[in-house]
Amino acid sequence: MVLKKILVTGANGQLGWELSQLAAKQPAYDFTFVDRTQLDLSKPATFEAIITQLSPDIIINTAAYTAVDKAETEKELANTVNAIAVHTLASIAKQKNIRFITYSTDYVFDGQSTIPYLPETKIDPINFYGFSKASGEQLALHENPATIVIRTSWVFSSHGNNFVKTMIRLMKEKTELKVVGDQLGRPTYARDLAQATFAMIEAINTGKKIEGIYHFANKGEATWYDFAAKIKAYAGLSCNLISITTAEFPTPAARPSYSVLDTTKLENDLGIDIPNWETALKECIQILS
């Protein structure tokens, strides 16, 4: 079956918005983008009627509960959106022969590794947000083995709320800023992730077997401090940055100290080269300037 009718949830999020920008350049596909007012992931009982009406060939679920610290106290909501809703979408997709792509996070890992995490590495989240996303992965894959899960990390975009836009705002407001320098990961430009998602759809349409868990993040590793320093340089700002430890910046939710994802499987299966995060960041800041 050729996938032409595409339903995208989370239209107003970073990834949903970037997908909508690319969709405008993809006339071969019939896209429907829905936001929370049209398909609310906190209300899984409403999904089937909406999906039956739209009758897509593929569902791309970019919506999620992403408030990492608030998830420690809003556990029921986080679990409903990130686990129960994803399970429900996977189940409906299986029943109706619809392909299903959903996204997950580096926070499903405990951060204790010293080598990049593979898609098959054992998951062991250390905060409730990570637990809810891990539950969503497992429930969806168990219910519908054809589910595609794309884990990503440290997402930024010219749209929505993210680290890049927050740092630019704070560096303009303050003369000095403290940034955590002992957590390592791979920043991800939502536009590049959106392009990889299109490449995945194209691969499916050419008959390639694409299923299971994939990792996508821009090439290169960085700490949050490294990331902030490049934002400062590319945005031409003068705020003094100070590297601090995780212990000096306590948060309600624990953060993994090592979040580097291995993207080899995705690159090989799709035959794509992933840009370096610094190149991607330059592009994003040019759009914001």
Side-chain angles (χ1 to χ4, degrees):
M1 182 180 78
V2 176
L3 310 177
K4 286 198 174 293
K5 290 185 68 179
I6 302 173
L7 171 62
V8 181
T9 69
N12 292 329
Q14 295 184 83
L15 180 55
W17 185 84
E18 293 286 9
L19 281 166
S20 73
Q21 303 307 294
L22 292 178
K25 304 168 188 174
Q26 302 283 341
Y29 295 98
D30 177 12
F31 279 88
T32 300
F33 288 85
V34 293
D35 61 19
R36 190 181 301 167
T37 65
Q38 298 153 299
L39 192 149
D40 186 342
L41 260 68
S42 70
K43 301 174 181 176
T46 64
F47 296 171
E48 188 161 6
I50 297 165
I51 292 166
T52 299
Q53 180 187 355
L54 295 172
S55 189
D57 299 321
I58 182 167
I59 298 168
I60 301 177
N61 176 43
T62 76
Y65 181 103
T66 57
V68 177
D69 289 322
K70 284 178 73 175
E72 296 297 314
T73 52
E74 294 186 344
K75 292 182 177 179
E76 185 176 356
L77 178 59
N79 188 65
T80 298
V81 173
N82 290 343
I84 297 170
V86 174
H87 176 235
T88 304
L89 289 170
S91 177
I92 294 168
K94 183 181 179 182
Q95 292 167 23
K96 296 182 178 295
N97 195 29
I98 299 167
R99 291 304 303 265
F100 180 52
I101 298 176
T102 192
Y103 299 84
S104 191
T105 172
D106 55 302
Y107 280 26
V108 300
F109 299 113
D110 63 9
Q112 297 303 304
S113 182
T114 55
I115 58 172
Y117 290 106
L118 297 166
E120 60 269 24
T121 301
K122 181 178 179 290
I123 57 176
D124 187 17
I126 59 173
N127 57 46
F128 193 82
Y129 165 72
F131 174 80
S132 69
K133 295 295 285 186
S135 297
E137 290 182 10
Q138 293 172 311
L139 289 167
L141 287 162
H142 182 265
E143 179 71 26
N144 180 356
T147 293
I148 298 166
V149 174
I150 305 175
R151 293 188 188 128
T152 190
S153 58
W154 299 21
V155 178
F156 66 93
S157 166
S158 60
H159 175 84
N161 299 316
N162 55 70
F163 184 76
V164 173
K165 292 173 77 174
T166 298
M167 285 295 105
I168 290 173
R169 176 176 58 80
L170 291 175
M171 286 182 209
K172 287 178 177 177
E173 293 173 358
K174 300 174 181 290
T175 57
E176 186 175 280
L177 202 58
K178 295 177 179 178
V179 186
V180 172
D182 61 354
Q183 295 173 20
L184 193 69
R186 287 176 62 171
T188 302
Y189 188 17
R191 176 171 293 186
D192 291 335
L193 176 54
Q195 289 173 337
T197 302
F198 275 115
M200 193 165 272
I201 295 167
E202 292 284 325
I204 294 168
N205 281 339
T206 59
K208 192 167 181 63
K209 186 178 180 182
I210 304 288
E211 61 184 37
I213 300 171
Y214 288 86
H215 287 172
F216 182 93
N218 282 97
K219 282 287 178 63
E221 301 173 7
T223 65
W224 292 110
Y225 175 82
D226 298 332
F227 197 4
K230 289 296 181 183
I231 294 166
K232 172 185 168 180
Y234 296 156
L237 300 171
S238 58
C239 178
N240 182 40
L241 299 180
I242 300 169
S243 179
I244 61 169
T245 65
T246 299
E248 292 175 277
F249 188 72
T251 54
R255 299 300 201 273
S257 61
Y258 185 87
S259 279
V260 180
L261 300 176
D262 186 305
T263 56
T264 306
K265 178 187 175 186
L266 182 141
E267 291 173 87
N268 289 344
D269 281 7
L270 301 185
I272 63 171
D273 292 320
I274 300 175
N276 187 279
W277 70 267
E278 294 181 42
T279 304
L281 177 61
K282 274 185 184 175
E283 290 181 14
C284 181
I285 289 179
Q286 283 172 357
I287 293 169
L288 288 169
S289 298

